[in-house]
Amino acid sequence: MADFIKIYNENPNAKEIAKVVKVLKAGGLVIYPTDTVYGLGCDIMNSKALEKITKIKGIKIEKAKLSFICNDLSHLSDYVKQIDSPTFKILKRALPGPYTFILPGSNNLPKIFKKKKTVGIRIPDNNIIRTLVKELGNPIVSTSIRDDDDILEYTTDPELIFEKWNNLVDVVIDDGYGGNEGSTIVDLTDSYPEVIREGKGSLDIL
């Protein structure tokens, strides 16, 4: 059964953060808040944890639409090919914020992602998840928590999320009600930005 841990976005408790980081390093799965919807993720370096996520989602890793949550733009060159100045300016304007940017993947991607030509990068405007990534020392691979309900696409109540997921994950972080609108997804792999999905993030940054 998962741990249900209360952490406040305004001031994440270092002791609780350390507890969650320990779980991630051990290959555990964590549900956490972002600036959009609650997400499910694991340590990018742990292939067994990644396999667990894709099994839960019922997808193959090659087809999985997983994004990398980073703490800031400093780790970008580890996973993304060199980007031009206009692309970098868009990232600087938008992040941290409710966006997922699709960028060309570099040759340094973890082994399990070697076949992927592109990666989705997220830097949410949420202190909890960014602090977790910072303390972990590398990105967290993330996917949204979808709901089975036809009307409500995302579950927003952490207690309901815990009820549904407590036998599938190791930690559920409670930061109060989450949003019910996903991130805006923008493909920056070509000359012009292409909006794949309009979500919470404004298109004015493009």
Side-chain angles (χ1 to χ4, degrees):
M1 190 165 168
D3 284 334
F4 191 56
I5 300 176
K6 180 76 181 175
I7 303 179
Y8 295 95
N9 182 41
E10 299 77 30
N11 187 21
N13 181 288
K15 192 176 173 184
E16 303 295 3
I17 291 287
K19 198 185 292 184
V20 180
V21 168
K22 189 177 179 183
V23 169
L24 287 164
K25 284 183 173 174
L29 305 189
V30 175
I31 290 175
Y32 43 80
T34 69
D35 52 358
T36 55
V37 299
Y38 270 85
L40 163 67
C42 67
D43 183 347
I44 194 175
M45 299 300 179
N46 197 302
S47 54
K48 285 188 178 175
L50 281 163
E51 284 163 11
K52 278 191 236 172
I53 285 181
T54 52
K55 192 176 178 184
I56 288 171
K57 301 281 282 188
I59 45 179
K60 291 185 177 175
I61 191 77
E62 304 82 48
K63 294 183 178 178
K65 291 179 179 175
L66 303 167
S67 54
F68 297 178
I69 295 190
C70 302
N71 172 47
D72 54 34
L73 290 170
S74 64
H75 283 288
L76 211 58
S77 57
D78 294 342
Y79 306 102
V80 172
K81 284 182 182 173
Q82 192 167 4
I83 53 177
D84 59 24
S85 183
T87 300
F88 190 72
K89 281 178 181 173
I90 290 173
L91 298 178
K92 285 282 282 183
R93 271 200 301 275
L95 300 172
Y99 300 88
T100 301
F101 289 107
I102 298 169
L103 296 162
S106 74
N107 296 327
N108 300 328
L109 286 173
K111 193 176 176 184
I112 200 162
F113 293 109
K114 284 295 182 194
K115 292 181 181 175
K116 283 194 170 290
K117 291 187 170 68
T118 60
V119 294
I121 297 292
R122 279 272 278 135
I123 304 178
D125 188 12
N126 179 283
N127 292 325
I128 296 168
I129 185 59
R130 292 214 320 277
T131 305
L132 281 175
V133 171
K134 186 179 179 183
E135 295 303 317
L136 181 64
N138 48 257
I140 286 174
V141 176
S142 180
T143 182
S144 299
I145 301 288
R146 295 214 168 245
D147 203 285
D148 299 329
D149 192 302
D150 290 336
I151 299 165
L152 284 172
E153 196 175 358
Y154 303 104
T155 304
T156 59
D157 184 340
E159 290 189 10
L160 293 178
I161 291 171
F162 180 71
E163 273 179 36
K164 182 179 175 182
W165 290 83
N166 72 44
N167 292 316
L168 295 169
V169 302
D170 300 280
V171 173
V172 175
I173 296 173
D174 173 13
D175 177 39
Y177 279 85
N180 60 1
E181 188 178 14
S183 63
T184 292
I185 303 174
V186 182
D187 188 335
L188 294 177
T189 58
D190 218 334
S191 311
Y192 296 98
E194 181 187 354
V195 178
I196 306 297
R197 179 184 76 190
E198 191 171 350
K200 188 177 175 185
S202 166
L203 300 182
D204 293 347
I205 54 96
L206 300 177

